Amino acid sequence: DTAVSQTPKYLVTQMGNDKSIKCEQNLGHDTMYWYKQDSKKFLKIMFSYNNKELIINETVPNRFSPKSPDKAHLNLHINSLELGDSAVYFCASSPQGGVRNSPLHFGNGTRLTVT
Amino acid sequence: AQSVSQHNHHVILSEAASLELGCNYSYGGTVNLFWYVQYPGQHLQLLLKYFSGDPLVKGIKGFEAEFIKSKFSFNLRKPSVQWSDTAEYFCAVKDDKIIFGKGTRLHILP
């Protein structure tokens, strides 16, 4: 199936741990994103990559590090997890990030719970 | 910087009622506007988008939105809602990145 897929779907871990979330899209899109959705459903962009190149890096703690080995993958690594990192993280892609009318295609989200 | 405001945080309607969700944006240039829907426990899906042409945009599932440039608005409408429309609705504007509003939780009573 053509889609944006994220793994894992659920992630429960303790404070201080390091964890990674993986994202892959087989839509042939050039641009990929990470969004964070907090408990109030507020969606905030974290990062955007276009053809493996970082183009958007919002004010996100250095503990968050995206990695894009190729344009179909954008992984998110989080060091020293904190309680406030608990949220749903959505990966998304779009055909051409610079083209304004191209919408986002979202993955199913990863619900991260830090205890 | 661009921003998006959704004034209705939580809307409760009965089935068959008409719906209008407000969205205002703040951006001086050419705008591209979107409405996304997030059903409970699911990811966001595109309902409709506007980038040029007819300011009245038709989307999926009977939704439509009207771009009114003078009011900086892009309100979402549906003439008759169904219980299955219960979801979170997000307005978004795109320049170099997509900025989302804070969402409106729509609850339809059966």
Side-chain angles (χ1 to χ4, degrees):
Chain A
D1 289 344
T2 55
V4 180
S5 57
Q6 297 177 228
T7 54
K9 188 172 182 179
Y10 299 98
L11 183 54
V12 181
T13 188
Q14 291 183 325
M15 285 174 57
N17 286 347
D18 303 337
K19 290 293 179 185
S20 292
I21 307 171
K22 295 186 177 181
C23 179
E24 175 183 3
Q25 56 92 7
N26 59 4
L27 297 163
H29 291 169
D30 293 319
T31 309
M32 296 185 72
Y33 309 79
W34 277 110
Y35 279 84
K36 178 180 180 181
Q37 186 175 46
D38 62 23
S39 59
K40 294 183 179 179
K41 300 291 186 181
F42 183 50
L43 267 166
K44 185 174 180 181
I45 189 167
M46 300 173 70
F47 301 103
S48 174
Y49 271 73
N50 189 56
N51 277 322
K52 302 194 299 176
E53 183 180 343
L54 180 66
I55 56 173
I56 293 174
N57 185 352
E58 293 295 296
T59 306
V60 177
N62 291 337
R63 300 181 294 103
F64 290 80
S65 55
K67 285 186 172 55
S68 182
D70 55 60
K71 76 172 191 176
H73 295 83
L74 181 60
N75 304 324
L76 184 64
H77 188 76
I78 315 170
N79 290 326
S80 303
L81 279 155
E82 300 178 358
L83 291 177
D85 297 331
S86 295
V88 181
Y89 291 84
F90 284 100
C91 178
S93 69
S94 66
Q96 290 171 279
V99 175
R100 291 176 173 170
N101 62 4
S102 54
L104 296 175
H105 297 254
F106 283 89
N108 287 330
T110 296
R111 182 175 293 276
L112 172 64
T113 303
V114 182
T115 62
Chain B
Q2 66 269 40
S3 65
V4 179
S5 298
Q6 291 181 244
H7 313 296
N8 316 104
H9 299 297
H10 195 183
V11 174
I12 302 173
L13 294 171
S14 298
E15 276 196 308
S18 64
L19 169 72
E20 180 159 3
L21 301 182
C23 173
N24 287 92
Y25 63 93
S26 170
Y27 181 63
T30 302
V31 290
N32 291 272
L33 296 156
F34 306 83
W35 274 99
Y36 284 83
V37 60
Q38 185 177 24
Y39 297 104
Q42 295 189 26
H43 63 286
L44 279 81
Q45 303 171 44
L46 181 68
L47 270 180
L48 48 81
K49 65 179 181 179
Y50 170 81
F51 56 94
S52 67
D54 189 343
L56 185 61
V57 181
K58 303 283 187 187
I60 61 171
K61 307 189 180 191
F63 287 91
E64 64 178 32
E66 185 174 12
F67 170 60
I68 302 179
K69 188 175 181 179
S70 61
K71 295 184 178 180
F72 295 90
S73 69
F74 189 58
N75 292 353
L76 181 71
R77 299 196 291 250
K78 185 171 183 177
S80 176
V81 294
Q82 301 171 304
W83 178 78
S84 57
D85 293 325
T86 293
E88 194 91 17
Y89 291 81
F90 294 91
C91 183
V93 62
K94 185 178 183 185
D95 181 26
D96 61 330
K97 58 190 175 187
I98 291 187
I99 302 296
F100 287 88
K102 292 192 175 183
T104 297
R105 180 164 298 179
L106 176 63
H107 188 91
I108 306 299
L109 302 172

